[in-house]
Amino acid sequence: DAKTTQPTSMDCAEGRAANLPCNHSTISGNEYVYWYRQIHSQGPQYIIHGLKNNETNEMASLIITEDRKSSTLILPHATLRDTAVYYCIVRVAWSGAGSYQLTFGKGTKLSVIP
Amino acid sequence: ETGVTQSPTHLIKTRGQQVTLRCSSQSGHNTVSWYQQALGQGPQFIFQYYREEENGRGNFPPRFSGLQFPNYSSELNVNALELDDSALYLCASTDTGYEQYFGPGTRLTVT
């Protein structure tokens, strides 16, 4: 699976958009970009994933550059409850039995400031 | 709430002992994965079970073993505990293959 690079930490004012970048310059054509987050003392939570088109769900938007070498997770109106570690993970689509393995890095610690 | 529960919440063991951690998945989730998370690090994949068979393993020694049961529950067993085994242990279950649902974890301390 391709390696990802994320900033160690970021701050965002409450109510503003939080834009979390991720670099995955060695991504292959069949690899997806996944985002998970982990709020303190809880298990990771799935946010969103995409291949090459921009994706949006009730939690966030995922913007993937045309060359797919980087992406940005956008939380449109950050709240204090969005304070967490955000993990960007790249991996191939899963087609075998069971499910894929997640390879977590250290992620980005997002602090939402009142 | 993910519908995935783990027990116990916290556990203290002595080096050399054995421990069993438990996970209860959502009904219908036929795949469960276990992860180890050391303090300040991201979770590391231990192994995965699919329909009660081991279906992949990370870089962990054989003293880490598991079981998955037909009632969507599973166990992680660790023998001969070492101090470095102190960590948060997470289980994650899924049925679709793309979204994994994590439990809250078990905090294991080895003294």
Side-chain angles (χ1 to χ4, degrees):
Chain A
D1 298 331
K3 193 171 180 179
T4 62
T5 304
Q6 299 179 253
T8 302
S9 63
M10 294 181 64
D11 292 339
C12 177
E14 188 178 17
R16 304 297 295 269
N19 297 279
L20 293 96
C22 179
N23 182 286
H24 33 79
S25 58
T26 60
I27 193 170
S28 300
N30 62 345
E31 289 183 310
Y32 284 73
V33 180
Y34 288 81
W35 284 84
Y36 279 75
R37 73 179 182 183
Q38 187 171 24
I39 295 170
H40 183 62
S41 298
Q42 297 183 21
Q45 176 190 23
Y46 166 85
I47 301 173
I48 200 167
H49 77 284
L51 181 62
K52 53 183 178 181
N53 298 321
N54 298 337
E55 302 287 345
T56 295
N57 63 20
E58 65 279 4
M59 287 183 68
S61 294
L62 174 60
I63 309 298
I64 302 174
T65 58
E66 192 168 342
D67 63 7
R68 303 208 325 120
K69 294 185 176 182
S70 65
S71 60
T72 301
L73 178 73
I74 301 172
L75 308 178
H77 304 286
T79 71
L80 298 180
R81 288 176 296 179
D82 292 322
T83 292
V85 177
Y86 287 77
Y87 297 99
C88 170
I89 300 165
V90 172
R91 70 146 300 114
V92 297
W94 189 259
S95 59
S99 183
Y100 57 86
Q101 304 163 11
L102 289 166
T103 302
F104 291 86
K106 292 193 174 181
T108 296
K109 173 86 171 76
L110 174 69
S111 298
V112 180
I113 312 299
Chain B
E1 290 295 326
T2 64
V4 179
T5 60
Q6 292 187 243
S7 64
T9 305
H10 295 89
L11 196 55
I12 299 175
K13 287 286 189 178
T14 302
R15 188 171 51 183
Q17 286 187 316
Q18 178 267 343
V19 69
T20 297
L21 310 181
R22 294 180 172 82
C23 172
S24 179
S25 305
Q26 290 187 32
S27 178
H29 283 194
N30 53 24
T31 303
V32 64
S33 302
W34 285 89
Y35 293 82
Q36 179 196 66
Q37 186 173 23
L39 205 59
Q41 305 294 319
Q44 300 300 305
F45 174 75
I46 303 174
F47 48 55
Q48 181 183 103
Y49 277 79
Y50 171 68
R51 294 183 176 177
E52 302 164 48
E53 298 283 335
E54 187 174 297
N55 186 50
R57 190 177 186 92
N59 189 27
F60 281 81
R63 59 189 184 85
F64 286 78
S65 63
L67 286 171
Q68 185 186 25
F69 303 102
N71 66 351
Y72 305 110
S73 67
S74 59
E75 292 179 354
L76 164 65
N77 298 289
V78 187
N79 294 322
L81 283 168
E82 301 176 359
L83 296 179
D84 285 348
D85 295 333
S86 294
L88 180 69
Y89 288 86
L90 297 156
C91 71
S93 71
T94 185
D95 59 349
T96 64
Y98 74 86
E99 179 175 352
Q100 297 197 11
Y101 298 85
F102 282 80
T106 293
R107 173 73 61 190
L108 172 66
T109 301
V110 182
T111 62

